[in-house]
Amino acid sequence: MRRRTLIRGTVATALAPVGIVTAARSAAGAGRAAADAQGVDVSNYQLGIDYARAAGEGRSFVIAKAGGCQLAEGPYVTSSYAGHVDGARAAGLRVGHYWLSGDFLTPTAAADYFVDHLHDYRVGDVLALDVEVLDDSTRLWNDTDVATWFNRVREGVGAYVPWFYISAGALRAGTWSRTVAAGAHLWAASWGPNNGTYPGAPDLGGRYPDWAAHQYTSVGSAGGVSPVDLNLARSWAFDLTEPTDPPPGGGGLPKSSTEQDGVPGPVMWKRTQNWLRIESGYTGPIDGVPGANTYAALQRNMRNWGYTGPIDGVMGPNSWAAVQRLAAANGYTGPIDGVMGPNSWRGFSHFINQDRWD
């Protein structure tokens, strides 16, 4: 994807259509058809593309940056987004929309913002999540984060075409069973020498069943503009998908008895840590032992419930009062006094026992 800092230097000439397809056929995975579509992904760095000319050059799809949440100032819509979508569609090209992940919205909130700000979305368009660490962000979204985003988008739009963009190296460093189960097609970034030529199929290291799309260089050209990211896609990359069953052996977390007895314990805290990992950037272990990192993530989440103090991992009356407000939305009827008791814990645990935090 295009960074905020432009890549400078000599731009290589894009491969001719036949050359790309031939190279892709030689590298196609077993049991899959060879890549048969060429396309580009674009943002504010590719203004002025002549999409009719790009179509004549053999491009058949355009994935436009819709926005992101990697900036400290908050989520945004990319200023060039609507123009790219309109131009590509007018030229008869297949359209996609992508969102850049980041530290400054939870996956659920990011998915909601993305869906709420889609421009001229039509069933069959690609809806993609770009997972990398850029700008003000410091943490790569993990498997749970990514799957949460894709499943939340599905709640907003129904069956759709989901693409999961990640570098091949980052893909190999993680595990992605939940993302696979969410039905996301892999859009792998693997540039090799990054000289505009096709470097061969990306090495997935066994971390994903197969790649659907491959961003293979950032120094191509299209429609009179360079540099442009060039991509290959297999025909099935544009299939609508639904989520599969949860990955085998996942098991999930047990429900907490705190909802009944009002006594917080390790199971409740494990579920709390998992919730905070999904929603609020917690990166520590799911061990049921709350510490400063757990409490800091809890304070970040409690901004949604009226907490205005520091994110310092030290829970005090103001922090706990916000937790009580969350509990009040889940059955707690006592005072909001910042003193947690059995009834406060019951309400909180009613929230934390939801299936989505398993």
Side-chain angles (χ1 to χ4, degrees):
M1 296 297 176
R2 187 63 49 220
R3 276 67 169 172
R4 293 174 83 184
T5 302
L6 282 170
I7 296 175
R8 303 185 185 278
T10 302
V11 177
T13 303
L15 283 172
V18 172
I20 294 178
V21 174
T22 301
R25 284 196 179 115
S26 67
R32 293 291 193 184
D36 60 2
Q38 303 173 53
V40 298
D41 60 86
V42 295
S43 66
N44 284 345
Y45 293 88
Q46 290 82 34
L47 300 179
I49 290 180
D50 181 339
Y51 281 113
R53 176 178 168 182
E57 294 166 349
R59 315 299 174 196
S60 62
F61 65 91
V62 175
I63 314 297
K65 184 178 181 181
C69 57
Q70 86 285 8
L71 301 178
E73 54 262 38
Y76 61 90
V77 174
T78 304
S79 59
S80 61
Y81 168 48
H84 282 308
V85 170
D86 292 344
R89 208 172 305 276
L93 300 175
R94 188 187 293 271
V95 168
H97 320 248
Y98 81 83
W99 177 264
L100 178 57
S101 65
D103 296 0
F104 302 100
L105 277 184
T106 67
T108 297
D112 289 345
Y113 189 98
F114 175 64
V115 169
D116 288 345
H117 293 84
L118 286 171
H119 174 73
D120 190 25
Y121 170 69
R122 304 180 188 182
V123 176
D125 286 359
V126 171
L127 297 181
L129 177 64
D130 175 3
V131 178
E132 49 186 327
V133 180
L134 294 177
D135 300 313
D136 302 325
S137 292
T138 61
R139 185 181 71 88
L140 191 77
W141 279 15
N142 62 28
D143 184 31
T144 299
D145 298 326
V146 174
T148 297
W149 188 92
F150 280 114
N151 287 327
R152 184 69 170 190
V153 169
R154 185 172 282 106
E155 291 179 20
V157 303
Y160 71 108
V161 183
W163 284 17
F164 164 42
Y165 174 94
I166 191 169
S167 73
L171 180 85
R172 293 192 299 269
T175 56
W176 307 98
S177 58
R178 292 178 184 271
T179 303
V180 172
H185 299 314
L186 177 62
W187 178 14
S190 181
W191 297 348
N194 198 25
N195 60 9
T197 64
Y198 187 70
D203 175 11
L204 308 185
R207 296 299 190 179
Y208 223 81
D210 205 349
W211 61 273
H214 178 192
Q215 184 194 78
Y216 65 89
T217 186
S218 67
V219 295
S221 63
V225 171
S226 61
V228 177
D229 297 336
L230 300 182
N231 299 267
L232 299 177
R234 292 160 166 170
S235 59
W236 53 270
F238 301 99
D239 291 346
L240 296 172
T241 74
E242 292 284 3
T244 64
D245 292 332
L253 295 171
K255 303 298 185 185
S256 170
S257 63
T258 306
E259 187 173 356
Q260 287 75 45
D261 61 24
V263 179
V267 173
M268 188 209 77
W269 282 113
K270 283 182 181 180
R271 296 186 66 85
T272 299
Q273 289 167 330
N274 198 44
W275 159 55
L276 294 172
R277 180 176 66 175
I278 294 169
E279 290 286 325
S280 300
Y282 173 69
T283 58
I286 308 301
D287 61 2
V289 182
N293 289 339
T294 302
Y295 291 137
L298 183 57
Q299 288 172 324
R300 280 195 295 275
N301 193 284
M302 289 303 99
R303 296 286 196 202
N304 300 319
W305 297 94
Y307 177 62
T308 59
I311 308 300
D312 59 4
V314 179
M315 297 293 285
N318 290 338
S319 303
W320 291 121
V323 174
Q324 287 176 318
R325 282 189 282 273
L326 169 60
N330 290 273
Y332 172 59
T333 58
I336 307 299
D337 59 3
V339 180
M340 296 291 287
N343 289 336
S344 300
W345 287 120
R346 287 188 185 99
F348 177 74
S349 192
H350 178 75
F351 167 78
I352 216 65
N353 268 346
Q354 295 177 84
D355 291 346
R356 57 183 167 153
W357 315 132
D358 285 356

